[in-house]
Amino acid sequence: MDQSVVIPITAPQLDQASSDNFLDAVANGECLTDVETGNDGAIDCLWLDDVADGLSEYGWITLDVGGRLGRPLLAALASEVSVLERCDAMKSAGIGRGNDLVRDRSVRRDKIAWLQGITAPQAALFEFFEEMRLGLNQRLFLGLKRFESHFATYQPGDFYRKHLDSFQGRASRVVSLVLYLNEDWQAGQGGELRVFNRESESEVCGLVTPEAGRMVLFLSEEIPHEVLPAHRTRYSLACWFRQDEVPLPL
């Protein structure tokens, strides 16, 4: 049996003041802590077959999971990232990890906060991710051992230039997932995910609007992508399914 080795990244931690503010907000009901997640039966074999087929054939797939996860769960996650932002707990994102981490605003301007699974919405989402990890392993034999996930916010004008999520041969991040948390995203508000053909990096093969409930999965080493400049605050959640068992330092 495939045993779970889910080791969410524990750093960077929120500083004490931000952490206290966030927990106070949760306790006061500003950030939902008990929701009807809609997770029962959220993942079934036929759905996983479609996801695996899309990854295998094209290297990426986009689909609506609002009905599977449930709108209350999506709203709760959106509330959490909004609270983190107001508490100034979101940190500028960088490129690379550990000693190689570089913050370059000419490449990316988003802010992030790593999920720890400590709230009910995060725990429900982690259950969904774990089912996906097991299902993808069974169908594609990817050897995925764990996942890591963070919230991301893009303020008006923020972007992330064209990039890959993992370097070839690192055997770390294997499958990337992005889940959007923005209700009523309108045409002209920007912030789309532009996906490029893995066979020809100059060819655009997809443009995904960051509407709440929209999810994108792609092969981390193979699919170039970029986030176009947003014209309103844009919330999302990224997850990476990994082959390594021990988290690398951030």
Side-chain angles (χ1 to χ4, degrees):
M1 180 178 294
D2 190 352
Q3 297 296 317
S4 170
V5 188
V6 179
I7 315 174
I9 295 292
T10 57
Q13 298 284 358
L14 303 182
D15 59 52
Q16 189 60 49
S18 295
S19 179
D20 289 344
N21 288 339
F22 176 61
L23 294 177
D24 286 343
V26 171
N28 292 332
E30 187 174 3
C31 183
L32 300 179
T33 58
D34 189 15
V35 294
E36 294 292 333
T37 65
N39 256 5
D40 292 339
I43 292 183
D44 56 63
C45 290
L46 291 178
W47 185 78
L48 279 169
D49 289 344
D50 289 341
V51 172
D53 288 346
L55 286 175
S56 178
E57 184 171 357
Y58 303 107
W60 78 289
I61 186 171
T62 179
L63 57 162
D64 188 348
V65 296
R68 291 181 178 274
L69 289 176
R71 293 294 170 178
L73 175 55
L74 294 173
L77 293 167
S79 178
E80 285 196 4
V81 65
S82 176
V83 170
L84 286 168
E85 183 180 34
R86 293 199 302 275
C87 292
D88 198 27
M90 308 290 290
K91 305 301 180 184
S92 295
I95 305 162
R97 300 176 76 94
N99 294 332
D100 296 326
L101 182 66
V102 175
R103 290 182 170 85
D104 186 345
R105 285 180 55 80
S106 70
V107 176
R108 66 182 300 185
R109 296 189 179 183
D110 57 317
K111 291 187 176 182
I112 65 172
W114 291 95
L115 276 68
Q116 308 293 331
I118 60 175
T119 67
Q122 291 182 26
L125 187 67
F126 278 16
E127 290 180 11
F128 180 81
F129 288 161
E130 175 64 358
E131 288 188 60
M132 290 199 68
R133 184 188 74 83
L134 295 172
L136 292 176
N137 273 348
Q138 290 169 356
R139 287 159 178 80
L140 299 176
F141 308 102
L142 295 175
L144 306 174
K145 294 183 173 63
R146 66 181 182 95
F147 58 81
E148 60 186 4
S149 182
H150 68 52
F151 287 122
T153 61
Y154 287 76
Q155 295 298 331
D158 288 350
F159 55 83
Y160 193 167
R161 301 295 187 200
K162 183 179 178 182
H163 64 283
L164 291 169
D165 278 1
S166 184
F167 294 110
Q168 291 285 340
R170 287 287 182 88
S172 52
R173 290 177 174 175
V174 178
V175 176
S176 301
L177 179 154
V178 184
L179 174 66
Y180 297 108
L181 304 171
N182 312 288
E183 292 290 348
D184 301 319
W185 195 272
Q186 302 296 317
Q189 292 180 329
E192 297 93 346
L193 180 73
R194 180 182 283 166
V195 181
F196 295 87
N197 191 325
R198 59 181 171 180
E199 305 297 335
S200 174
E201 292 191 11
S202 62
E203 178 186 345
V204 176
C205 59
L207 193 66
V208 183
T209 301
E211 176 70 24
R214 176 61 49 179
M215 188 175 76
V216 186
L217 287 99
F218 53 90
L219 299 178
S220 306
E221 291 186 351
E222 298 184 15
I223 302 298
H225 55 284
E226 67 178 334
V227 178
L228 300 181
H231 305 308
R232 60 173 264 201
T233 301
R234 173 191 186 274
Y235 296 139
S236 61
L237 188 153
C239 174
W240 294 274
F241 297 94
R242 304 179 61 108
Q243 289 180 342
D244 52 352
E245 294 187 11
V246 180
L248 297 174
L250 296 175

